[in-house]
Amino acid sequence: MELGRRELDILALERRSFSGPGAKERTIREELGLAPVRYYQLLNALLDDPRALAADPVTVNRLRRVRESRRSER
């Protein structure tokens, strides 16, 4: 089973760069129709999904490293 459109859109958004504070959150609302809190919940679950790793290994591995470094800072 492959990733759905929303999951692919989340990965695509994570490949983009954003300028200025709030730009990413605004894009999340406007393009995906999600609250930022829900977006990050979905993204976190997606990082543990083997289908996401297969679809976009560079992005998923980068985000996993970021997540792990933040966890170890706590």
Side-chain angles (χ1 to χ4, degrees):
M1 186 171 202
E2 294 185 16
L3 293 175
R5 179 84 255 149
R6 179 166 38 181
E7 289 86 1
L8 293 171
D9 289 344
I10 288 171
L11 291 174
L13 192 125
E14 285 300 317
R15 286 191 299 270
R16 293 166 54 182
S17 62
F18 297 91
S19 62
K24 184 174 183 179
E25 287 73 17
R26 187 171 38 258
T27 302
I28 291 168
R29 284 189 180 94
E30 292 172 0
E31 292 185 13
L32 301 179
L34 294 169
V37 170
R38 182 65 182 142
Y39 170 85
Y40 288 111
Q41 290 171 339
L42 292 170
L43 174 62
N44 197 44
L46 193 56
L47 295 181
D48 295 325
D49 189 329
R51 297 173 303 156
L53 183 61
D56 192 347
V58 173
T59 301
V60 171
N61 283 325
R62 177 180 56 84
L63 293 170
R64 284 178 175 178
R65 284 191 303 273
V66 169
R67 180 175 69 176
E68 192 55 40
S69 75
R70 287 183 180 156
R71 283 181 179 168
S72 66
E73 288 175 1
R74 294 180 188 169

